[in-house]
């Protein structure tokens, strides 16, 4: 069976975009692949973290995975820092990665901005750690959003360079998977900006911890335009806020965007939003309730992470030892 590896950072709260763009698809993938799902807490250290907040966020992301439908017994679910081999392989791979490859990474340029000289090394070398995360488990497929596709391509380049350098086929070249109608959910306040954990406005996103009343309020307050909904996708795509809400409805209902457009063609936004409120609450509120139940028992979440970490470490140690043997490192 092919192997999936994917993960999310425990930075701030997960939101509707994380669910529709990733989590919902992971739930489906676990039926067809051997899956390893990680809370990538080492990646979160590229920005300043409060220790207690980080611990809580790691548990909250874990709870979100499970509430969305990830089975921690069927799959491996753990936090990245539990397995030291991630960091060790990242160092080895960094010694096989030309600076020119990292200099092409657009996400570092966007996040560092004009303060590039003050950015930390972790932010710059983040893609190498991501490559190590994937290659450590010899993952064959990685579900990614468009913003991470370049980093996955780098992981493929690093794997290929390692294989050529040592005349081996040790690492598979992982394939990207970009799935579903809503791979990119936009802000509820600005249809031209991606829904983000870091947006100052709480009304820009639906958090996975929002209760039914909060979900309903945020949908009703979502930015729209005065025109009725169009009857074709070409016109819809010229209206970013309308396009975003239709995309969300389509994803939550399991329809295509075209089917949703046909269903609501000519409707006023008041009627469409009422339908979207009902659908959003029906789909998301049960997950919110389940997350709260899980977070009430932190010891159980920690136990699940520890058990998943032990399972992950067994695979990681075998593969890291294989790398060490190939490159000539002695080990006990």
């Amino acid at each position: 069976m092919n192997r999936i590896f994917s993960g999310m950072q425990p930075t701030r709260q997960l939101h509707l975009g994380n669910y529709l763009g990733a989590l919902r698809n992971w739930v489906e993938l676990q039926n067809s692949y051997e899956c390893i799902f990680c809370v990538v807490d080492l990646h979160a250290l590229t920005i300043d973290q409060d220790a207690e907040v980080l611990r809580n966020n790691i548990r909250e992301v874990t709870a979100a995975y499970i509430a969305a439908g990830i089975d921690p017994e069927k799959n491996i679910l753990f936090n990245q820092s539990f397995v030291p081999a991630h960091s060790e392989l990242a160092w080895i791979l960094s010694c096989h990665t030309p600076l020119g490859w990292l200099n092409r990474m657009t996400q570092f340029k966007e996040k560092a901005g004009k303060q590039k000289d003050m950015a930390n090394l972790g932010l710059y070398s983040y893609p190498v750690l991501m490559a190590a995360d994937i290659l450590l488990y010899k993952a064959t497929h990685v579900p990614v959003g468009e913003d991470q596709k370049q980093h996955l391509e780098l992981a493929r380049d690093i794997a290929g360079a390692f294989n050529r350098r040592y005349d081996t086929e040790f690492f598979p070249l992982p394939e990207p998977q970009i799935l579903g109608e809503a791979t990119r959910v936009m802000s509820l306040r600005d249809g031209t900006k991606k829904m983000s954990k870091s947006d100052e406005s709480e009304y820009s996103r639906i958090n996975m911890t929002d209760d039914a009343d909060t979900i309903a309020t945020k949908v009703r307050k979502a930015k729209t335009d005065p025109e009725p909904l169009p009857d074709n996708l070409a016109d819809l795509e010229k209206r970013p806020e309308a396009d975003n809400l239709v995309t969300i409805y389509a994803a939550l209902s399991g329809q295509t965007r075209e089917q949703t457009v046909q269903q609501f063609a000519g409707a006023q936004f008041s009627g469409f939003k009422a339908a979207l409120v009902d659908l959003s609450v029906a789909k998301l509120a049960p997950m919110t309730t389940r997350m709260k139940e899980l977070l009430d028992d932190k010891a159980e979440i920690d136990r699940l992470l520890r058990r998943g970490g032990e399972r992950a470490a067994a695979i990681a140690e075998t593969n890291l030892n294989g790398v060490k043997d190939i490159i000539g490192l002695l080990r006990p």
Side-chain angles (χ1 to χ4, degrees), residues 147-190:
D147 58 340
Q148 290 293 330
K149 191 175 179 182
Q150 188 186 40
H151 289 170
L152 182 57
E153 291 169 352
L154 178 68
R156 287 171 56 88
D157 289 341
I158 292 172
F162 182 94
N163 289 346
R164 290 189 299 273
R165 166 68 178 80
Y166 297 102
D167 192 22
T168 181
E169 295 182 0
F170 186 80
F171 289 127
L173 304 186
E175 295 289 340
Q177 290 186 313
I178 300 176
L179 306 168
E181 281 284 340
T183 56
R184 190 174 176 85
V185 177
M186 311 307 282
S187 166
L188 298 180
R189 307 304 298 161
D190 182 348

Side-chain angles (χ1 to χ4, degrees), residues 34 43 87 148 153 167 171-173 191 194 201 237 241 271:
E34 178 187 354
H43 287 291
S87 300
Q148 290 293 330
E153 291 169 352
D167 192 22
F171 289 127
L173 304 186
K194 187 176 178 182
S201 172
E237 289 167 359
E241 282 76 26

Side-chain angles (χ1 to χ4, degrees), residues 33 88 100 107 112 139 230 288:
Y33 293 84
E88 193 169 353
Q107 195 169 107
T288 298

